[in-house]
Amino acid sequence: MKTESIIVYCTCPDELSAKDIAEAVVKEQLCACVNRLPAVMSHYIFKGEYCEDEEMLLIIKTTAAAFESLKTRIEALHPYDVPEIIAAPIVAGNDSYLAWLQASVK
């Protein structure tokens, strides 16, 4: 359903890139809200090498209909070659909040 609300997760290498992405996607109404969480430790293998990095996590609330535009904008702003951009459905929530979320996204 194209009016479905979703949460998008995106990790960033530093506060500046996280702030720039959050500000852009909110001002462009690609999402209703972004939370920036500092000091997330990420453990992963990339290009065959084990990595352990401190990153910032963006929690982005948007609509399924806006996801492709949001993803494209994050990819354009993000410093990583392969940014983490993953979405999960919001299956339930405060009706008033979800209505505000829907109304806030173009």
Side-chain angles (χ1 to χ4, degrees), residues 46-91:
F46 188 68
K47 296 184 179 179
E49 185 176 318
Y50 174 78
C51 303
E52 183 178 322
D53 292 309
E54 185 173 314
E55 297 179 294
M56 291 197 74
L57 175 63
L58 300 180
I59 301 174
I60 305 165
K61 279 75 76 175
T62 190
T63 63
F67 177 76
E68 286 301 321
S69 296
L70 174 69
K71 180 174 72 76
T72 298
R73 188 66 174 122
I74 292 171
E75 289 171 336
L77 295 168
H78 209 289
Y80 288 167
D81 292 336
V82 182
E84 173 188 4
I85 306 169
I86 56 174
I90 297 174
V91 297

Side-chain angles (χ1 to χ4, degrees), residues 90 92-101:
I90 297 174
N94 177 307
D95 290 339
S96 298
Y97 180 85
L98 295 176
W100 168 80
L101 187 160

